[in-house]
Amino acid sequence: MTQALSTWTGTEPSLIARRDALIEALRSYGRIAVAYSGGIDSTVVAQAAYEAVGDAAVAVTAVSDSLASGELDEARELARQIGIRHRVIRTEEFANPDYLKNAPDRCYFCKSELYGRLSGMLATLGADVIASGANTDDAGDHRPGMRAAGENGVRHPLQECGLGKEDVRALAKAWGLPTWDKPATPCLSSRIAYGEAVTPERVRMIDRAEQWLRARGLRLLRVRYHNGDLARVEVPLDELPNLVRPDVREALVPAFRELGFKFVTLDLEGFRSGSLNGLIPADSLMLRPAAGIKTNGNGNGNGR
């Protein structure tokens, strides 16, 4: 039993059984490199991997222009809390024209860069296999990144154990992970409407705009970039009235314009994960089949 396991606070038998199944699955992998963003899913995989194999597990965080401000620092702190070895690598998806043109399969090129780099580093990392944070609730969404995962032999322990998002949050809470209720934080490029080029300048605009909103107490939000430097702000429906208050609106609009947005709009449908995927023609969607719950897909951030 590792030291981290002694901090376990979950008492529900079914939760303990889910924890044990996940740890046993990971133990069967051998030495593990976790593709670790610091998001709730990959953090739970990192925790379970450390419980399973101790120092034979390493969490690897990829850094590029698409990583939101503060995410790397948070990932480092969580890895320190878990006790797992942590490596940071630089990925170069922004050097790939196929990524920059931002077609609906953009995430494939991002994940090909990430998993290809990790595959080539396994010996250096002291690992035998790559593990992702894909969970079963990702079934039926547009997930081109899963093709890249398959090409690089990536394992998905949460899916293999039949664990969905609520299971993951319950495990994180029982393990005392402070981000157990953290909203999803997909890459900044996923905020840019398909067909609009991904550029470092645009992702910086988005990052700073979202920071501005978070500094005013919002947690669940997206700033989507559309043609003509238009910002489409998504927040939960109950937050909409707060953003149109004169004092907030009169500060928000000039702040966003200073960042480079020419137009600032508020989406009256409110926040919804993957809203840009609704613009993809049905015959272009890359969906994972719902049958066989242990093999459902996840592109880990595409179009969220």
Side-chain angles (χ1 to χ4, degrees):
M1 180 179 294
T2 66
Q3 182 178 3
L5 192 56
S6 66
T7 66
W8 175 262
T9 59
T11 57
E12 184 181 330
S14 62
L15 184 62
I16 293 171
R18 291 193 290 272
R19 175 203 66 186
D20 291 348
L22 180 60
I23 290 172
E24 285 306 309
L26 284 158
R27 186 172 290 127
S28 73
Y29 290 5
R31 301 176 302 170
I32 306 162
V34 180
Y36 168 69
S37 67
I40 184 65
D41 298 314
S42 63
T43 299
V44 164
V45 173
Q47 175 80 56
Y50 183 67
E51 305 287 6
V53 298
D55 287 339
V58 59
V60 185
T61 303
V63 174
S64 76
D65 289 326
S66 67
L67 186 67
S69 296
E71 291 298 302
L72 178 58
D73 289 341
E74 188 169 283
R76 281 179 168 142
E77 175 55 27
L78 283 168
R80 185 202 63 77
Q81 177 176 327
I82 292 167
I84 193 169
R85 290 188 293 134
H86 187 215
R87 288 281 302 274
V88 178
I89 64 172
R90 179 83 188 179
T91 53
E92 300 295 342
E93 61 269 24
F94 278 74
N96 186 341
D98 288 320
Y99 177 85
L100 298 180
K101 71 181 182 183
N102 198 23
D105 62 348
R106 179 201 67 244
C107 195
Y108 167 76
F109 302 104
C110 175
K111 296 305 178 185
S112 290
E113 167 70 7
L114 170 62
Y115 294 140
R117 290 282 305 280
L118 287 177
S119 293
M121 294 176 63
L122 285 176
T124 301
L125 294 169
D128 303 309
V129 67
I130 303 165
S132 86
N135 73 70
T136 61
D137 284 346
D138 298 310
D141 201 357
H142 176 61
R143 299 290 179 178
M146 279 303 288
R147 178 158 57 98
E151 290 169 354
N152 288 279
V154 177
R155 299 288 296 271
H156 311 294
L158 298 175
Q159 291 181 355
E160 292 172 19
C161 294
L163 301 178
K165 180 64 77 174
E166 289 307 310
D167 299 312
V168 170
R169 292 198 184 280
L171 288 170
K173 187 175 183 180
W175 260 314
L177 297 171
T179 55
W180 69 269
D181 63 344
K182 177 183 178 180
T185 52
C187 79
L188 295 170
S189 298
S190 70
R191 319 290 206 271
I192 300 176
Y194 294 117
E196 299 297 320
V198 174
T199 68
E201 294 75 22
R202 286 175 176 174
V203 295
R204 278 195 294 270
M205 287 167 60
I206 293 164
D207 189 25
R208 291 167 182 167
E210 292 191 349
Q211 286 185 66
W212 192 94
L213 292 169
R214 288 194 179 93
R216 283 146 185 85
L218 290 164
R219 291 186 75 225
L220 190 59
L221 63 98
R222 295 287 186 271
V223 175
R224 313 284 191 187
Y225 177 96
H226 290 269
N227 182 44
D229 293 327
L230 182 147
R232 176 168 60 88
V233 179
E234 294 180 14
V235 296
L237 290 173
D238 59 358
E239 296 283 1
L240 289 175
N242 294 328
L243 290 188
V244 295
R245 283 184 8 227
D247 59 322
V248 176
R249 178 177 55 79
E250 291 168 7
L252 188 157
V253 173
F256 275 42
R257 284 184 173 158
E258 186 175 347
L259 294 175
F261 291 105
K262 295 183 176 69
F263 305 98
V264 183
T265 66
L266 186 59
D267 193 316
L268 298 183
E269 287 190 75
F271 172 84
R272 56 216 185 273
S273 181
S275 68
L276 289 173
N277 287 344
L279 304 177
I280 304 172
D283 59 1
S284 297
L285 288 171
M286 296 184 183
L287 304 179
R288 297 289 292 174
I293 193 168
K294 292 187 180 182
T295 58
N296 291 334
N298 182 348
N300 295 328
N302 183 65
R304 306 306 289 171

